[in-house]
Amino acid sequence: MSLKSYSRARAVHVMLVYTGGCNGCDIEIVNCILSPKYDAEQYKVFLTWNPREADVLVVTGPVTRRNEEPLRKMYEAIPEPKVVVAAGACALMGGVYKNIHGDIPSEEIMGPVENIIPVDAKVPGCAVRPEDILSGVVAALPKLLNAK
Amino acid sequence: MDEDNQKTNEKVDRKVIETEISMGPVHPAALEPYRVRLFVEDEIIKDAEITVGVNHRGVERIMEGLPVEKANSLTEKICGICSNSHIWNSCMVAEKALNIEVPERAQYIRIIMEELERMHSHMLYLAHGCEVLGHETLSMRMFYIRETVMELLRMIGGNRVQYGAPIIGGVRPRCELDEMRIQKLKEGMDTVEEKMTEFADRFVSDPMIMSRITGIGTLSQKDAIKLGTSGPTLRATGVEKDLRRDMTVYDPFEFDVITQDDGDVKSNLLVRVFEILESVKIIRQAVAGLPEGKITNRSWEMQDAPITKSYIEVPRGTLYHSYALQDGRVRHSVIRTPSITNIGAMQYACIGQHVTDAQLSIVQCDPCFTCTDRAVKIIRLDK
Ligand code: SF4
């Protein structure tokens, strides 16, 4: 194991980006990492707000029109290797905002996230539960850790 | 012309203001996407401008033409922090328009949900505030206390965030309170009260924290009234105004309206701490005096109704919903959330502060930009 991958395995930095959902998912993710009850930090998973430090990008929300560009830029700013986790019904399929009219999707919503950046793991739920987020991040980790 | 009343851009043109610091819409220091422009002179903020609109999803537009039950559950998705307030107010509009009598037991359960929500929203505010202060231990402590409330909400509603208790004419059968749940609620309230008191003691007796938050981000009472601020942000400046006092559903309950005098970060934090304790009081009364009977009134008929309005007090201030009914569908829906006026308070609180205190001054007004993005641009096709 190289020094780089050794150190990467011991400090996984998660960045949360928020693209216009209802705040429910975001707070559950912050809760899941900071709150002592779930405490992802004990598994060496940390929350960061800086894309250049991040390894895992967690995206919530249906990607509104004005958020599309920043999301792409943020994805590009993260150094390789990187994984993307889409969390919540909004990020997975546009949620209520996109699909409520059936065949005529709302024009304000550019999502789901898959249309804009590649997604490695998906976490369902509205809002996602902290346990599910942990398992989603864990499911995405092999790609990150096995990278050369 | 008075210098204060000129537009910021003109001031920049005339070089009244030297430097602009612009952040956003996505920035490491801001949790939610919004844009802040700070106009500084010698690191002192002379003017601030906050722009929202990044999160616009057009919920009112989606609501238009939906059956009223569906539209009500959509309002819940406006905000993940105060979801119960939105669906409650939206149901109240329909009940008012159709003259539906709500059973008393249902009103009590709705109030229990609302107060639980107020508690978890204020606790989130305190946790976020402590994190911005740089005190992560207290922030984690707050998240830990908040978990008690979240578990109670999950027990009653079945979901941790959007519990969807109210329906037109009552509450969902899932949210009925039986003996076991009442017992858990009572125990939860004891835990919260004990831990919140400890937290508050620890908080105010820490000289480092108190010196960091006293006198920072001051909003004067005159400005607060001028800007139309509502909720705890207004009460922190000494105005005794709580819409719960005017709501008939709150009549059977005894509680105090909490006010503080200074309008700075300290007052804002303390107002929220005491309001959590008041909520504990209301929930205890509601649980003790829970009336017997049905929880849903299903004997109502759909009619057409003109535009009906409803105002309630939610964790951040005054929430307004209105719509008209036509063939069982929602028309002309308008929603106005408290943060839209509190944005003005954030801008005023920044003025005169050091740049490093800008974030604290914004956070002290409890921003929730997700629910604030309401504007709809109407494009005329005939031109
Ligand atoms: S999935 Fe649900 S809780 Fe999450 S952002 Fe969307 S509406 Fe909110």
Side-chain angles (χ1 to χ4, degrees):
Chain A
M1 201 190 235
S2 69
L3 181 62
K4 215 167 157 189
S5 49
Y6 177 85
S7 57
R8 196 179 288 134
R10 262 145 193 79
V12 176
H13 281 82
V14 175
M15 182 185 171
L16 170 64
V17 43
Y18 170 97
T19 62
C22 78
N23 249 349
C25 286
D26 313 84
I27 285 161
E28 291 296 274
I29 290 166
V30 174
N31 198 355
C32 150
I33 294 177
L34 287 184
S35 127
K37 181 157 181 192
Y38 299 99
D39 199 13
E41 289 191 356
Q42 65 181 316
Y43 308 117
K44 307 178 185 73
V45 175
F46 301 94
L47 194 65
T48 173
W49 299 104
N50 186 354
R52 294 187 208 284
E53 281 176 8
D55 304 304
V56 181
L57 184 72
V58 180
V59 191
T60 68
V63 193
T64 54
R65 190 173 280 275
R66 277 193 57 195
N67 260 321
E68 191 192 358
E69 190 66 38
L71 178 63
R72 249 200 212 110
K73 274 190 192 157
M74 208 145 4
Y75 178 73
E76 277 155 19
I78 297 179
E80 290 284 348
K82 53 191 163 194
V83 293
V84 179
V85 178
C90 286
L92 296 190
M93 26 68 79
V96 284
Y97 309 116
K98 188 163 181 118
N99 299 317
I100 200 135
H101 284 304
D103 297 343
I104 320 164
S106 165
E107 275 183 21
E108 280 293 314
I109 309 293
M110 312 304 287
V113 175
E114 260 176 315
N115 293 353
I116 295 153
I117 54 175
V119 172
D120 298 298
K122 297 178 177 175
V123 186
C126 177
V128 288
R129 300 199 168 167
E131 302 91 330
D132 296 346
I133 301 163
L134 283 180
S135 55
V137 173
V138 168
L141 282 185
K143 186 187 168 202
L144 188 71
L145 301 182
N146 296 336
K148 289 279 142 28
Chain B
M1 193 164 45
D2 181 7
E3 202 174 87
D4 252 309
N5 290 334
Q6 293 174 21
K7 298 217 183 65
T8 22
N9 282 340
E10 288 170 20
K11 285 191 203 171
V12 174
D13 287 345
R14 283 175 47 242
K15 299 245 184 325
V16 175
I17 291 164
E18 279 179 357
T19 325
E20 177 190 333
I21 299 178
S22 166
M23 300 192 295
V26 183
H27 189 270
L31 214 66
E32 294 168 274
Y34 59 96
R35 184 150 183 256
V36 194
R37 294 169 76 195
L38 302 174
F39 301 93
V40 295
E41 225 177 87
D42 294 340
E43 302 210 339
I44 301 294
I45 300 167
K46 293 286 169 199
D47 210 336
E49 213 180 275
I50 295 177
T51 321
V52 292
V54 184
N55 298 333
H56 178 241
R57 290 151 288 163
V59 173
E60 291 106 321
R61 184 69 192 80
I62 306 175
M63 272 172 80
E64 202 88 345
L66 281 182
V68 60
E69 295 88 353
K70 229 176 169 180
N72 278 345
S73 54
L74 183 65
T75 56
E76 201 177 30
K77 313 284 184 205
I78 291 171
C79 180
I81 306 175
C82 39
S83 52
N84 186 64
S85 320
H86 280 283
I87 192 169
W88 186 23
N89 201 7
S90 189
C91 288
M92 246 149 63
V93 175
E95 281 155 10
K96 217 166 157 185
L98 303 174
N99 280 326
I100 302 170
E101 186 108 7
V102 182
E104 226 180 309
R105 189 178 173 86
Q107 295 286 26
Y108 272 57
I109 295 176
R110 285 177 178 190
I111 284 175
I112 290 174
M113 294 304 275
E114 178 65 22
E115 294 305 318
L116 282 173
E117 189 169 81
R118 175 166 287 113
M119 280 156 71
H120 97 72
S121 167
H122 284 357
M123 285 175 179
L124 183 74
Y125 167 87
L126 292 170
H128 185 39
C130 290
E131 217 200 333
V132 172
L133 276 174
H135 205 307
E136 262 200 30
T137 317
L138 275 184
S139 157
M140 285 181 91
R141 181 81 193 147
M142 204 64 235
F143 269 122
Y144 178 63
I145 304 173
R146 183 171 176 264
E147 210 52 44
T148 322
V149 183
M150 298 306 280
E151 283 304 314
L152 289 176
L153 283 169
R154 187 190 208 161
M155 174 189 81
I156 300 175
N159 200 358
R160 281 169 58 95
V161 173
Q162 287 158 349
Y163 7 86
I167 54 174
I168 298 176
V171 293
R172 215 151 46 96
R174 167 73 168 76
C175 306
E176 170 69 295
L177 294 179
D178 54 18
E179 274 309 311
M180 192 258 312
R181 289 183 175 179
I182 288 179
Q183 192 53 37
K184 284 234 173 105
L185 260 175
K186 282 182 183 161
E187 284 166 16
M189 286 309 104
D190 291 343
T191 323
V192 169
E193 190 180 30
E194 188 195 326
K195 293 203 171 136
M196 270 317 291
T197 327
E198 266 175 34
F199 176 88
D201 279 345
R202 169 75 180 72
F203 195 82
V204 293
S205 62
D206 192 326
M208 211 164 68
I209 294 179
M210 289 319 265
S211 63
R212 177 80 177 86
I213 61 179
T214 311
I216 301 288
T218 312
L219 179 72
S220 71
Q221 195 183 73
K222 211 172 122 233
D223 285 342
I225 293 172
K226 186 177 88 183
L227 294 164
T229 356
S230 57
T233 312
L234 178 66
R235 291 197 284 277
T237 62
V239 185
E240 198 177 338
K241 174 86 184 120
D242 191 329
L243 215 62
R244 282 184 286 173
R245 279 259 188 264
D246 307 333
M247 289 163 68
T248 44
V249 287
Y250 274 97
D251 280 349
F253 303 99
E254 243 181 59
F255 61 96
D256 297 332
V257 176
I258 307 290
T259 52
Q260 292 279 327
D261 298 331
D262 301 336
D264 56 358
V265 181
K266 185 191 79 185
S267 307
N268 270 289
L269 286 165
L270 288 183
V271 163
R272 264 96 173 173
V273 169
F274 289 126
E275 277 192 8
I276 292 172
L277 297 176
E278 287 304 311
S279 294
V280 170
K281 237 159 92 181
I282 296 178
I283 292 177
R284 283 214 180 112
Q285 291 171 35
V287 166
L290 197 64
E292 294 295 321
K294 289 190 303 175
I295 55 165
T296 327
N297 171 11
R298 299 214 186 257
S299 55
W300 52 273
E301 264 172 33
M302 184 56 75
Q303 292 162 359
D304 287 359
I307 293 179
T308 318
K309 302 168 183 173
S310 172
Y311 293 89
I312 61 169
E313 175 86 16
V314 302
R316 287 176 176 71
T318 306
L319 173 69
Y320 166 82
H321 274 239
S322 74
Y323 52 76
L325 290 170
Q326 194 185 27
D327 306 331
R329 289 169 189 273
V330 170
R331 300 281 174 210
H332 312 295
S333 163
V334 176
I335 300 166
R336 185 175 174 280
T337 54
S339 295
I340 198 82
T341 48
N342 291 357
I343 284 178
M346 291 165 212
Q347 294 173 353
Y348 270 62
C350 282
I351 295 173
Q353 306 296 321
H354 200 267
V355 179
T356 45
D357 295 334
Q359 203 198 352
L360 201 54
S361 309
I362 292 174
V363 164
Q364 66 143 335
C365 298
D366 209 355
C368 172
F369 294 112
T370 324
C371 50
T372 314
D373 282 344
R374 295 267 72 84
V376 177
K377 188 177 170 196
I378 297 168
I379 300 167
R380 297 277 296 270
L381 290 177
D382 51 7
K383 277 195 182 162

